[in-house]
Amino acid sequence: MALYRRVLLDRSPAWDTHVYSHQLAYACGVSAAQVRRDLMAIGYTGSPSTGYETECLLDSLGRFLDAPEPTPTAIAGVGQLGGALLSFLVNRHPKLGIVAAFDVNPSKTDRVLYGVRCYPMHRLHEIVDACRISVAVLAVPAKEAQAVCEKFVASGVRGILSFAPVFLRLPKHVAVERLDVTIALEKVAFLARSVSRSRRTFP
Amino acid sequence: MALYRRVLLDRSPAWDTHVYSHQLAYACGVSAAQVRRDLMAIGYTGSPSTGYETECLLDSLGRFLDAPEPTPTAIAGVGQLGGALLSFLVNRHPKLGIVAAFDVNPSKTDRVLYGVRCYPMHRLHEIVDACRISVAVLAVPAKEAQAVCEKFVASGVRGILSFAPVFLRLPKHVAVERLDVTIALEKVAFLARSVSRSRRTFP
DNA sequence: ACGTGTGAAGGTCTTCACAGCG
DNA sequence: CGCTGTGAAGACCTTCACACGT
């Protein structure tokens, strides 16, 4: 899990240079055995006495998670959500830079928004091709999501992060990750209801 | 899964009044057996000849997923992300209404933003208590997330949807769901890289 | 003693296969 | 025949338990 790296990056001052699996487990909300197994899977091995060296571990995680060179990324849809994502992501991650934005709204296109140039939709293929973009973020309305992501895939994109509340039907060689706010909220409401129920049942 | 309902709500015109498990499975990207098992779990039973009645099925899903009465919800943090979420969620879901927003910024508080009244943070307990809010959305900076969600929990909130890229340590009787944009993006980039690798290895 | 690496057990979730019925 | 409901098998993931090194 990439969560380990995040936790290590803003590492607690307690972990000076070394960290034990149970500390990392506690910080990530998983079990210590899980951490050891995951770290073993990426080929890093720690010493029993001192635990894991944080610097060296971050290095191994980086080699495993990141591509050798930065991965250029694009975003489609610069509405409220797209804008929030842009301002949040720009210059945040050293290996995942947003290099282009796309929108249908002419008042948005051909300008630099949040530090990223915004292009009209019809130049999508051209730009994706020229910048060798391999990952795209979808922040467009649900009705346009399927069409836009097909354009991305046709232009060579191999990974898509979608915020649209629809299931995207794509070839198997494209990785899709969905972040569906509505469903997540329904899920939380459901879980909240059931935990409070079990609380009442077994007080 | 709540995905079924979403798919059924904007149901394809092909499914007039009835739907077969394999159609629903195709639309949601899962297997037909999975759909049948899930629908069985919520106690709905279809007929072999006609499949499932969409209206009746939606009814059963609603009884299972939703609370009998609407669940009041609050949001903390009305920055870029919070604003986008607000405008996206307000009046979207019949059973999950955002009834209050909270922010530290005085220029935001005591105004109505996106149709929702925004209160200062120090009135959080008072408002959550008065409105019987049981679910909260966190769109605050990572550093404040833990503190804010503890205030929510202390005020009686039992479910939290967090967008902050930190692990929240909370009592077990509180349901937490995280939507971490950065980690999701890293995951997509990683998967995109590995699928393109396997593509090259077995062409 | 304490923590890691790792085999083995245990549980959960998914898929297969088939009886039954319109 | 085709689709549902459901038991059985299987795959996957998590946890336990313990040998080894420091």
Side-chain angles (χ1 to χ4, degrees):
Chain A
M1 307 185 182
L3 216 175
Y4 297 147
R5 176 160 64 174
R6 174 154 307 282
V7 171
L8 284 174
L9 280 177
D10 39 64
R11 56 171 165 275
S12 151
W15 318 338
D16 187 23
T17 57
H18 292 178
V19 62
Y20 293 120
S21 63
H22 59 84
Q23 299 175 302
L24 200 49
Y26 181 86
C28 296
V30 298
S31 73
Q34 189 72 54
V35 172
R36 291 207 297 272
R37 211 156 264 276
D38 291 341
L39 296 189
M40 208 182 62
I42 70 168
Y44 185 77
T45 189
S47 98
S49 61
T50 63
Y52 300 95
E53 273 188 62
T54 52
E55 289 303 333
C56 190
L57 179 52
L58 274 172
D59 237 49
S60 294
L61 281 168
R63 264 197 303 279
F64 177 73
L65 292 172
D66 297 325
E69 65 275 8
T71 305
T73 306
I75 184 168
V78 194
Q80 292 244 36
L81 178 59
L85 291 171
L86 260 179
S87 67
F88 180 76
L89 290 174
V90 165
N91 291 329
R92 180 65 68 106
H93 197 292
K95 293 300 186 75
L96 289 169
I98 308 258
V99 298
F102 299 96
D103 205 298
V104 288
N105 188 335
S107 74
K108 302 264 179 64
T109 57
D110 296 316
R111 297 173 49 195
V112 174
L113 300 167
Y114 307 100
V116 174
R117 180 80 184 265
C118 183
Y119 301 93
M121 278 291 176
H122 70 264
R123 294 187 63 191
L124 192 147
H125 182 83
E126 167 199 345
I127 306 290
V128 168
D129 209 49
C131 299
R132 296 244 175 285
I133 288 168
S134 61
V135 172
V137 178
L138 251 66
V140 301
K143 294 171 70 171
E144 303 173 23
Q146 178 72 39
V148 173
C149 84
E150 279 173 12
K151 287 177 81 169
F152 272 122
V153 171
S155 307
V157 164
R158 287 186 291 254
I160 287 185
L161 174 60
S162 168
F163 289 83
V166 294
F167 178 78
L168 300 174
R169 187 150 298 280
L170 291 177
K172 319 102 249 148
H173 64 84
V174 179
V176 180
E177 186 80 5
R178 293 185 48 215
L179 256 48
D180 192 319
V181 176
T182 313
I183 285 187
L185 193 53
E186 287 183 5
K187 186 173 167 187
V188 168
F190 174 79
L191 291 175
R193 198 157 63 94
S194 64
V195 294
S196 79
R197 254 254 214 77
S198 69
R199 212 40 188 340
R200 252 193 288 124
T201 315
F202 318 111
Chain B
M1 307 183 182
L3 217 175
Y4 297 146
R5 175 160 63 174
R6 174 154 307 283
V7 171
L8 283 175
L9 279 177
D10 39 65
R11 56 172 164 276
S12 152
W15 317 338
D16 187 22
T17 56
H18 293 171
V19 62
Y20 293 120
S21 63
H22 60 86
Q23 298 175 302
L24 200 48
Y26 180 86
C28 296
V30 299
S31 73
Q34 189 72 53
V35 172
R36 291 208 298 271
R37 209 147 263 258
D38 290 342
L39 296 190
M40 207 182 62
I42 70 167
Y44 185 78
T45 190
S47 99
S49 61
T50 63
Y52 301 94
E53 273 189 62
T54 51
E55 290 301 335
C56 190
L57 179 52
L58 275 172
D59 236 50
S60 294
L61 281 168
R63 264 197 303 279
F64 178 72
L65 292 172
D66 297 326
E69 65 275 8
T71 304
T73 306
I75 185 169
V78 194
Q80 292 245 36
L81 178 59
L85 291 171
L86 260 179
S87 67
F88 179 76
L89 290 174
V90 166
N91 292 330
R92 179 64 68 107
H93 198 294
K95 294 300 187 77
L96 290 168
I98 308 259
V99 298
F102 298 95
D103 205 299
V104 289
N105 189 334
S107 73
K108 303 264 179 63
T109 57
D110 297 316
R111 297 174 49 194
V112 174
L113 301 168
Y114 308 100
V116 174
R117 180 81 184 263
C118 183
Y119 302 93
M121 278 292 176
H122 70 265
R123 294 187 64 191
L124 192 146
H125 182 81
E126 166 199 347
I127 306 290
V128 168
D129 210 49
C131 298
R132 296 242 175 284
I133 288 168
S134 62
V135 172
V137 178
L138 251 67
V140 301
K143 294 170 71 171
E144 303 173 22
Q146 178 71 39
V148 173
C149 83
E150 280 173 11
K151 287 177 81 170
F152 272 122
V153 170
S155 307
V157 164
R158 286 186 290 253
I160 287 184
L161 174 60
S162 168
F163 290 83
V166 293
F167 177 78
L168 300 174
R169 187 151 297 279
L170 291 177
K172 319 101 247 154
H173 63 86
V174 179
V176 181
E177 186 79 7
R178 292 185 48 213
L179 255 49
D180 192 319
V181 175
T182 313
I183 284 187
L185 192 55
E186 286 183 5
K187 187 173 167 186
V188 168
F190 174 78
L191 292 175
R193 197 158 63 94
S194 64
V195 293
S196 79
R197 254 253 215 77
S198 68
R199 213 37 191 340
R200 252 193 288 125
T201 316
F202 319 110

